[in-house]
Amino acid sequence: PSIVRDLSYSLTSPLPADLLSTNRSSIFSGHHGQLTLTSVFLDEYRDRLFLGGKDVLYSLMLGPTSTESKELYWPPLPGNRENCIQTGKDPQTDCANFVRLLQPYNRTHLLACGTGAFQPMCAFVYVGHRGEVSHYDLNVENGRGKVPHDPSFRFASTFRGGELYTGLTADFLGRDSVIFRSMGGRSTMRTETDQKLLHDPKFIAAHVIPDNDDRDDDKVYFFFTEKASEPGDREGAIHTRVGRVCANDVGGQRVLVNKWSTFIKARLVCSVPGPHGIDTHFNQLEDVFLLRTKDERNPDVYAIFSTISNVFQGFAVCVYRMADIREAFNGPFAHKEGPDYQWGAYEGRVPYPRPGVCPSKITNQPGREFGSTKDFPDSVLQFARSHPLMWRPVFPALRRPVLVQANIPHKLQQIVVDRVEAEDGHYDVMFIGTNVGTVLKVITIQNGNSLETEEVTLEELHVFKQAIYVGSPAGVAQVKLHRCETYGKACAECCLARDPYCAWDGFTCAQYTPNNKRRYRRQGIRHGNPALQCVDQNLSDVDVTEDDVVYGTENNSTFLECVPRSPQASVSWLVQRDDRKEEVKLDDRVMATEQGLLFRHLLHEDEGVYICRSREHGFSQTLVRLSLQVLQGDAVDELMSRDNAGFSDSIKERSAGSYRAWMPCTAYRSGTSSHSRLWFKDIVQMIGPSNLPHVEEYCERMWCNDKLRRKHKSMLEKYRQAQESARKARSKSSGERNRMPRDLKARDV
Ligand SMILES: *[C@@H]1O[C@H](CO)[C@@H](O)[C@H](O)[C@H]1NC(C)=O
Ligand SMILES: *[C@@H]1O[C@H](CO)[C@@H](O)[C@H](O)[C@H]1NC(C)=O
Ligand SMILES: *[C@@H]1O[C@H](CO)[C@@H](O)[C@H](O)[C@H]1NC(C)=O
Ligand SMILES: *[C@@H]1O[C@H](CO)[C@@H](O)[C@H](O)[C@H]1NC(C)=O
Ligand SMILES: *[C@@H]1O[C@H](CO)[C@@H](O)[C@H](O)[C@H]1NC(C)=O
């Protein structure tokens, strides 16, 4: 599946440099370098990506190496740029045609709308049939009410049955906030100008969601924030709303002529319990993604919220169910007797048909049939006008966010969600775009108790087939949804990665495809427990058993690098001297950093073998073994002067400011005499020494039980043989190495 989403809003900084160096993505930056991207439409039918920018439209061929692209220059209409500049707007950031809207219109044309230098305009763009190279034919028509005048204003739009629904500010000054319906054969519809209906709204998303099989019951939902009117809120507080209109609303006959007669709205709550019983509310809506499912009436609504206060800056993702949204709309209306009264639930008689209900076969009652909103009694229209807000808010599923990030150095701005089938059910993988040009890939996992969820950050993508397209002003990048191969070379690591796109196939960590009948399919997304998932797999691959030698100079600083593959793992350092292992004592001189262990001032007694271990879900693993050798001043001089290419290179490397002098290894640990011991040891490492009683119990069950033992015997036998040959191979090569002189000629291990 390709998930398609315009992430152009989020990426205000240029694409990071490392993006360009990765092979995971391809990037398009426009024909003239800087692509000022303002809209994206991915056409899966034609296999094309359409991009809108400043005075320009692009059509790109989709694919891993999309080199073919067409450009169309589309400036403002003659004179409009000059008029715009005359009104004092900025020639660069205001007075151009920023293409903000790209929608499929019919089989042959796209609808494109741009700001036209503060004179919005639209065009039908001829795009031809599948595989055909597109050409363009512009028929310019008025874009007022379709996109905002100001390129920096957010707006929301959706297209249904040849009609365009938009939520925007529709005037030059940016004051007329309105929900519009335009194009198609019917007359244009809009909201009345009334703060009760919309109070300084900022529109984020608009979607058509059916209620049932009767198309007359289809509703258009708008997600936005506006100034709060409810009690208990500070001046200037904002709330997030979901509002809706019937798609077949044609307004009233005498009142509300060409104005929405079915508009109602409810508050969307996203909060976490805080100290002293006061909830922390995330009120500012940043983005919405509709995760469509087989049941088109019940998509899941994913929304990013933010809150910014003096004490707390945070972001949250909340998921709403359509059933909860509909329940709020079917509940009581919010009501206030007068300016000095409190808000409460409206308890009087609600006129029929109930405001918010569409005229349709399903909603009509016998003898009281309404063919159109024009037949609605005036009392209904009056009530709708005075009671647009519902009394009950909509709470998220589980009543709390699925993801909360507080006091982080970046902002969460855009979200796309992909539902992935895995061995043990489905998972929703969220891709979240940040303002610093990164994309977070996150799953949340519910553990048994339905209220306990765990979030797992899979990777932080520094860019952008199965692909996600990510746009920034600088360009559009296409990024694979997964890269299972980066999750290490062992079953346990693949399992710990807990990426629903990946599974251990017996040989590698590879893309998981449901229905694939291959024998080995191991995934451990819910629990990430390799002890259960990988029990018959080769666990000896996981631990590093060789020592690399690192040199440091006395009184100088040195760095031992160790970065765990998984962002959730915790790292600990042990030092081994004379067969005794102990934890490294950390202080001002010896510091643990995210990248490794830093010695700010190296002492002779720091010599030893340093072991970096990562731990996650009871699984621990040796990532790095480094034999630190401390050189004294004269030893350094002597070594520097020696004619030894390998060695002096490494010294040079170090003196050039890199403190990593990676040297070949000489000492292999001698093989363990008893293989079953080794096996046992591996299990201990997996489960962790603190759980030793469990290990005993586990091994008892696995190997000491007769029935199971027979079952596992052949497997174990294979394993032992493999171990044995590996051991032989190792002792052979280590024998050769041991004959090498101590001054370490070869740099390869
Ligand atoms: C990138 O991928 C292509 C095709 O898969 C491959 O031929 C090329 O060697 C890769 N480049 C790098 C730097 O990995
Ligand atoms: C699509 O719409 C355009 C613009 O209205 C029109 O010129 C064209 O004929 C339409 N194409 C089809 C196949 O209906
Ligand atoms: C390191 O510092 C100590 C005390 O400051 C000094 O005695 C020693 O000679 C120094 N060693 C080197 C190699 O500079
Ligand atoms: C410490 O390391 C720096 C950088 O490699 C080097 O310039 C300096 O001479 C070293 N000092 C000693 C005392 O070895
Ligand atoms: C286990 O791993 C070792 C070392 O990587 C390898 O030599 C051996 O063939 C593997 N054994 C099996 C059963 O895959």
Side-chain angles (χ1 to χ4, degrees), residues 285-420:
L285 184 64
E286 299 288 339
D287 194 30
V288 169
F289 181 80
L290 221 59
L291 180 64
R292 305 257 178 196
T293 59
K294 284 197 194 79
D295 178 2
E296 58 166 1
R297 294 164 302 176
N298 290 300
D300 285 342
V301 180
Y302 275 78
I304 299 183
F305 293 85
S306 66
T307 181
I308 290 148
S309 76
N310 293 333
V311 287
F312 181 76
Q313 171 175 348
F315 293 85
V317 176
C318 278
V319 186
Y320 300 91
R321 309 255 181 264
M322 284 310 296
D324 295 331
I325 292 177
R326 292 190 182 104
E327 195 179 295
F329 285 135
N330 293 335
F333 292 90
H335 177 75
K336 201 167 154 160
E337 280 302 322
D340 299 329
Y341 288 78
Q342 296 277 310
W343 282 96
Y346 180 75
E347 281 164 352
R349 204 187 67 86
V350 175
Y352 179 87
R354 184 189 155 90
V357 168
C358 313
S360 78
K361 285 184 213 69
I362 288 179
T363 55
N364 275 337
Q365 286 178 8
R368 306 173 76 188
E369 284 156 18
F370 298 94
S372 118
T373 55
K374 287 204 161 131
D375 305 333
F376 283 179
D378 284 356
S379 60
V380 169
L381 303 179
Q382 301 290 6
F383 189 91
R385 192 180 209 172
S386 56
H387 296 86
L389 180 65
M390 306 315 297
W391 172 241
R392 293 200 194 111
V394 185
F395 291 99
L398 303 177
R399 284 223 163 207
R400 53 188 207 83
V402 291
L403 179 80
V404 174
Q405 296 216 321
N407 299 322
I408 46 171
H410 50 260
K411 295 180 177 165
L412 307 188
Q413 294 188 320
Q414 300 267 320
I415 186 168
V416 272
V417 183
D418 186 26
R419 184 159 288 177
V420 185

Side-chain angles (χ1 to χ4, degrees), residues 538 540-541 722 726:
N538 197 343
S540 62
D541 291 358

Side-chain angles (χ1 to χ4, degrees), residues 12-60:
T12 48
S13 61
L15 296 168
D18 66 348
L19 172 112
L20 302 163
S21 63
T22 72
N23 211 9
R24 185 186 188 184
S25 56
S26 53
I27 297 151
F28 178 75
S29 317
H31 290 175
H32 317 285
Q34 189 85 358
L35 171 69
T36 312
L37 186 77
T38 47
S39 53
V40 176
F41 166 59
L42 192 138
D43 188 338
E44 291 190 70
Y45 174 72
R46 294 187 184 85
D47 282 330
R48 287 202 161 260
L49 187 65
F50 295 95
L51 307 176
K54 185 181 176 182
D55 297 332
V56 75
L57 270 171
Y58 284 103
S59 161
L60 308 187

Side-chain angles (χ1 to χ4, degrees), residues 552-557 631-633 636-637 651-659:
T553 39
E554 198 179 0
N555 295 345
N556 217 335
S557 58
L631 304 175
Q632 247 109 80
V636 179
D637 293 344
I651 297 275
K652 274 182 213 147
E653 196 179 294
R654 195 181 55 227
S655 11
S658 155
Y659 293 93

Side-chain angles (χ1 to χ4, degrees), residues 41 53 63 95 142 181 210 214 219 237 243 290 311 329 349 384 406 469 478 547-548 551-552 605 671 686 721:
F41 166 59
C95 300
N142 195 330
R181 183 178 65 207
D214 188 345
K219 299 185 173 75
L290 221 59
V311 287
F329 285 135
R349 204 187 67 86
Y469 292 88
Q478 176 199 50
D547 298 349
D548 281 326
Y551 292 92
E605 48 272 33
M686 277 187 345
Q721 282 164 9

